[in-house]
Amino acid sequence: MSTIDAPKGVMEYLPPESAAFLDVRDALSAPAIAAGYGYVELPTFEHTELFVRGVGESTDVVSKEMYTFDDRGGRSLSLRPEGTAGVMRAVIQHGLDRGALPVKLWYAGPFFRAERPQLGRYRQFFQVGVEAIGVDDPALDAEVITIGDDGFRSLGLTDFTLELTSLGDAKCRPAYREKLVAFLDTLDLDEATRERVRLNPLRVLDDKRTEVRRKLVGAPLIVDHLCAECADHFAAVRAYLDALRVHYTLNPRMVRGLDYYTKTTFEFVHHGLGAQSGIGGGGRYDGLMAELGGQTLSGIGFGLGIDRTVLACHAEGRAVGVTPRVSVFFVPLGDAARVESIATMGKLRRAGVHADLAYGTLGLKGAMKAADRSGAAYAVVIGDRDLQAGVAQVKDLASGEQSAVALTDLVASLKEKFL
Ligand code: HAM
């Protein structure tokens, strides 16, 4: 019978690489937990309308990359391409914004975008994200950005830049947009770029082609046209980041792929990853909650890419996911020894020591090979004669040293080595 592969472009992690995945996921979420963010586990699919309204119909993410399907009741659903819209939906639906503010939440899980797959760009990928809702305080912007920066740094990453800008708000952006369109109208641009000027002129500033970039020199930039409130907010964010010793580079041409951003916007860009260099990004989205039918509350958050962060760790030679899978490996020789080993292993596991056993019908040689492969520090060999003598042979797999330990002391003696 023919075999079946996973669909094209989806990311999956198997041992031993999956240990790196878990390490990265946990390292990126630890600073959020430490800062009082509560965990949310949300559906991987939502009503399509949520993303159309929340993320923006004109974005590539919604118009070209969503996995959209009708359920059996004829309702249009989409696999979530990002996390912010779903978090806002849940906050509104469950009234989390009726209590103390800010509401601080974090999440981790799979997201789906039908992009052209390449290294670092997948159709199912994984993010750790945070959202802080309900307080328009620049110190909260600095907190969110610092959580991201701390997460990457706790993995030992250094070869990345935090790019920062402000995109203004509903007060100053429309006037700026007009100025930008007036400037872009004076340029000789191809048809596709003209269309982009019509849909989202800010996105034209991010064009990667040199001939277009050359034409864009002298384009008005939003940071020079912020209203007083946005300018003050941005200055305060920078001052807090300076106080926190978080380094950033101003990038006034930054454009994000989602429509909801206002004011502070940022991206973590890694220098060892080639084209897919964005390891995380986020910003404020002060109009999103009202757009989704909720109160007029501000919000800020980020999404960090777990897959790309794993690649970044490899690119920088950072050891992740190298902890041995188990500490103790049991090698029972004979049926009675097997019962004794299983009982002892159960006690050890319940005490928190990672342990495994040579299952099946391996001989001593095969079982010792399995012990080596397991990464365990000790093998516990119990034969019939050991059992009669009331001992187990505990072998240090690194040095090869072996000693007999009384079965009655075995759990305590092994616990002592690891706990
Ligand atoms: P985003 O920039 O679209 O933002 O995605 C965040 C991160 O997810 C990216 O920096 C990247 O590391 C990773 N990522 C995105 N697409 C892919 C892909 N196809 N393959 C692999 N990794 C990918 C958001 O999703 C916003 N919801 C972030 C946010 C939260 N803004 C405010 N709150």
Side-chain angles (χ1 to χ4, degrees), residues 396-418:
D396 182 327
L397 288 170
S399 68
E401 258 170 57
Q402 187 169 314
S403 57
V405 176
L407 288 174
T408 46
D409 297 339
L410 189 55
V411 170
S413 141
L414 288 168
K415 259 170 71 177
E416 206 170 90
K417 295 185 199 296
F418 297 104

Side-chain angles (χ1 to χ4, degrees), residues 61 81-84 107 113 115 120-123 125-127 130-131 256 258 260-261 267-268 278-283 285 300-308:
V61 168
E82 62 93 56
T84 313
Y107 51 90
R113 295 182 194 176
E115 298 193 78
R121 187 166 70 195
Y122 310 113
R123 292 181 171 173
F125 59 98
F126 299 85
Q127 283 185 4
V130 307
E131 313 293 347
R256 305 268 300 128
L258 314 164
Y260 47 61
Y261 291 111
E267 242 167 32
F268 295 95
I279 51 174
Y285 42 84
I300 176 156
F302 65 54
L304 310 180
I306 299 178
D307 316 84
R308 291 185 192 171

Side-chain angles (χ1 to χ4, degrees), residues 351-368:
V353 177
H354 298 192
D356 201 358
L357 179 127
Y359 287 107
T361 49
L362 300 170
L364 177 61
K365 214 165 135 209
M368 289 311 286

Side-chain angles (χ1 to χ4, degrees), residues 135-146 233 237 241 263-264 266 283-284 300:
V135 179
D136 186 13
D137 180 343
L140 202 52
D141 303 37
E143 171 175 292
V144 165
I145 293 170
T146 306
H233 187 100
V237 172
L241 288 175
K263 292 185 178 165
T264 316
F266 55 93
R284 268 204 172 274
I300 176 156

Side-chain angles (χ1 to χ4, degrees), residues 26 144 194 259 295 305 322 400:
D26 294 349
V144 165
R194 284 253 141 265
D259 269 356
Q295 306 188 63
V322 289

